[in-house]
């Protein structure tokens, strides 16, 4: 009977040694940046109750309408793999009463998200996001801080030509006024639009502007900036002022609405070339009503999500070299049975002292072991034969210079510093 051959599910990927180091480097940059900006890490479940995303993300979004992985558990509960990070973080913020803290709650997360969509360059059904959320402040300065953190993240990675686009999607009264103007523009062309746009016109006309199929038809669409009230206009002007003083370059895109329903006031995206027709590599915005919508107090919030797969593609396209290769400190070569046993002891001692160390487990000759040390980019090889063992010494060879010296076994760690 033939054995079944298993392959990874469509839209997923195996991140293998050699590539995973790039992920670790990017994640390390994100963590260090959040430390500098005083954001603390939060880890939420990879699945939540489906209703959380229906209320938090919006029932008329692409995510809720057709991209969520939903299932029933053995208790007949409706659950979903998280399609984005914000709703789960807001749920945790409410459930754990983080709103009781005296300061602004500044949180970040790194982890996998899941959406059932057509896989393409930089887009997977299991993908990974780095995101931040800040709760408790309406100050436009924190909007600018959030935008600047993402902008600095790209700079720290060495990405070139990353652009920031911002807009204001206003508050509820502003959007209501804009909705009527937009409907007046869209209804006459309804029959010429794609089926998704035709369905959205009456339910959520702002989402029509986010369509990737009919973008060329919206050039003359009314601008939401013309419908902002004084509060929204003042907030947006101050956000721009803070970004200007920080030196964060941006352009205003009045058609930028983002793909989620919870945004208010500031909305923004990061753009970069290098992954085909898709140039959005991250984005976010303010969501002042979301905490209350999910059952908490009326607390404002703002955040972003950045796709890591897309960053990796752009880094490759721009030929940015990441400092990921950390050479092995020492590779042990044993000559003889007694030396082989002693090597296990020395290997453990060095590892416990913080050194990275390896040895041969395949019974190969010395020449093959030296080749293995070279493949692993070892800084040193430590060669132990029977004579060296009797004298309590070991030969240390620099793989860069070829220089060899003999050191006492109990002083090996000092010789590798």
């Amino acid at each position: 009977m033939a054995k079944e051959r298993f392959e990874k599910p469509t839209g997923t990927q195996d991140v293998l040694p050699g590539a995973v180091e790039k992920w670790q480097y990017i994640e390390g940059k994100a963590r260090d940046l959040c430390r500098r900006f005083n954001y603390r890490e939060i880890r939420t479940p990879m699945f939540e109750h489906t209703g959380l995303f229906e209320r938090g993300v919006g029932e008329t979004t692409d995510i809720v309408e057709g991209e969520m992985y939903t299932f029933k558990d053995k208790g007949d509960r409706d659950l979903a793999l998280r399609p984005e990070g914000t709703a789960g973080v807001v749920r945790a913020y409410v459930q754990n009463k983080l709103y009781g803290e005296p300061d602004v709650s500044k949180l970040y997360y790194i982890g996998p998200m899941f959406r059932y969509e057509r896989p393409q360059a930089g887009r997977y059904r299991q993908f990974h996001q780095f995101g931040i959320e800040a709760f408790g402040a309406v100050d436009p300065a924190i909007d600018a801080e959030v935008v600047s953190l993402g902008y600095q993240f790209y700079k720290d990675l060495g990405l070139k030509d990353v652009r920031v686009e911002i807009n204001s999607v206003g508050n509820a009264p502003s959007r209501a006024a804009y909705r009527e103007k937009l409907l007046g523009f869209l209804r006459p062309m309804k029959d010429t639009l794609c089926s998704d746009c035709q369905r959205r016109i009456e339910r959520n006309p702002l989402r029509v502007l986010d369509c990737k199929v009919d973008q060329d038809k919206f050039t003359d669409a009314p601008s939401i900036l013309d419908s902002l009230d004084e509060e929204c206009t003042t907030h947006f002007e101050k956000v721009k002022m803070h970004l200007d003083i920080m030196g964060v370059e941006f352009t205003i895109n009045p058609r930028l609405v983002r793909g989620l329903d919870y945004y208010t006031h500031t909305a923004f995206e990061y753009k970069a070339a290098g992954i085909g027709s898709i140039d959005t590599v991250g984005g976010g915005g303010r969501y002042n009503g979301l905490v209350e919508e999910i059952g908490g107090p009326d607390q404002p919030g703002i955040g972003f999500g950045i796709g890591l797969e897309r960053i990796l593609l752009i880094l490759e396209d721009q030929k940015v070299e990441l400092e990921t290769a950390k050479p092995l400190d020492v590779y042990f070569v044993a000559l003889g049975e007694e030396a082989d046993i002693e090597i296990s002891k020395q290997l453990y001692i060095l590892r416990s002292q913080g050194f990275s160390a390896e040895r041969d487990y395949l019974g190969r000759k010395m020449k093959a072991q030296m080749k293995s040390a070279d493949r692993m980019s070892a800084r040193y090889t430590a060669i132990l034969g029977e004579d060296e063992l009797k004298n309590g010494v070991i030969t240390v060879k620099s793989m860069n210079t070829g220089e060899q010296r003999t050191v006492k076994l109990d002083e090996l760690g000092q010789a590798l510093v």
Side-chain angles (χ1 to χ4, degrees), residues 82-365:
R82 62 186 185 193
E84 55 91 51
T86 299
V89 173
V90 173
R91 192 269 313 147
Y93 173 79
V94 172
Q95 184 174 350
N96 295 283
K97 296 182 172 60
L98 298 184
Y99 50 79
E101 296 179 347
D103 299 309
V104 174
S105 292
K106 298 167 66 174
L107 308 169
Y108 79 91
Y109 59 86
I110 302 173
M113 310 293 162
F114 306 84
R115 294 183 193 175
Y116 188 86
E117 57 183 348
R118 183 173 65 85
Q120 52 186 295
R123 182 170 287 177
Y124 296 87
R125 290 176 177 174
Q126 176 179 316
F127 59 100
H128 299 77
Q129 280 191 343
F130 158 48
I132 68 171
E133 315 291 348
F135 300 99
V138 296
D139 190 336
I142 201 155
D143 298 41
E145 176 183 286
V146 168
V147 174
S148 71
L149 193 156
Y151 183 69
Q152 187 63 43
F153 178 54
Y154 296 115
K155 290 180 66 176
D156 285 356
L157 290 174
L159 287 178
K160 307 176 190 69
D161 302 322
V162 175
R163 310 183 311 279
V164 178
E165 293 186 357
I166 65 171
N167 190 27
S168 175
V169 293
N171 53 19
S174 295
R175 282 198 303 279
Y178 177 62
R179 184 179 189 276
E180 295 307 311
K181 293 181 182 178
L182 186 58
L183 282 172
F185 173 80
L186 293 174
R187 280 171 176 157
M189 66 172 68
K190 180 177 180 179
D191 293 341
T192 70
L193 300 178
C194 72
S195 57
D196 286 339
C197 288
Q198 291 182 23
R199 188 179 69 253
R200 291 170 179 156
I201 280 181
E202 300 301 331
R203 297 176 63 191
N204 192 345
L206 269 71
R207 290 281 292 112
V208 174
L209 297 180
D210 200 42
C211 177
K212 301 300 184 287
V213 177
D214 292 321
Q215 272 297 312
D216 60 325
K217 298 176 182 176
F218 307 142
T219 305
D220 298 323
S223 170
I224 191 171
L225 298 177
D226 295 330
S227 296
L228 299 182
D229 60 21
E230 184 177 355
E231 175 208 350
C232 296
T233 299
T234 300
H235 186 95
F236 193 44
E237 290 300 318
K238 288 184 177 180
V239 171
K240 292 187 291 182
M241 179 184 67
H242 283 287
L243 290 174
D244 279 333
I245 204 166
M246 290 177 179
V248 176
E249 296 182 6
F250 62 88
T251 58
I252 298 171
N253 179 358
R255 285 187 285 164
L256 195 164
V257 295
R258 300 288 295 153
L260 307 174
D261 283 355
Y262 50 60
Y263 288 117
T264 60
H265 291 289
T266 309
F268 60 91
E269 289 184 342
Y270 304 104
K271 306 276 190 176
I275 44 177
S277 61
I278 302 171
D279 63 353
T280 301
V281 292
R286 178 168 281 282
Y287 43 85
N288 286 353
L290 184 57
V291 174
E292 188 174 23
E293 176 68 25
I294 291 178
D298 183 13
Q299 286 285 312
I302 183 170
F304 68 59
I306 290 175
L308 300 188
E309 281 83 356
R310 294 186 180 184
I311 287 179
L312 284 161
L313 279 175
I314 298 171
L315 286 169
E316 182 178 356
D317 182 75
Q318 294 187 1
K319 296 180 173 53
V320 177
E321 295 293 331
L322 303 183
E323 300 172 7
T324 59
K326 291 187 176 180
L328 193 70
D329 287 321
V330 61
Y331 188 99
F332 282 97
V333 176
L335 304 175
E337 187 173 338
E338 291 185 16
D340 186 77
I341 294 171
E342 177 66 21
I343 286 298
S344 290
K345 172 186 174 182
Q346 295 298 325
L347 191 69
Y348 183 77
I349 290 173
L350 284 187
R351 287 169 171 170
S352 67
Q353 292 174 351
F355 293 97
S356 58
E358 188 55 281
R359 58 160 295 167
D360 176 63
Y361 291 104
L362 300 176
R364 294 175 293 189
K365 301 293 184 181

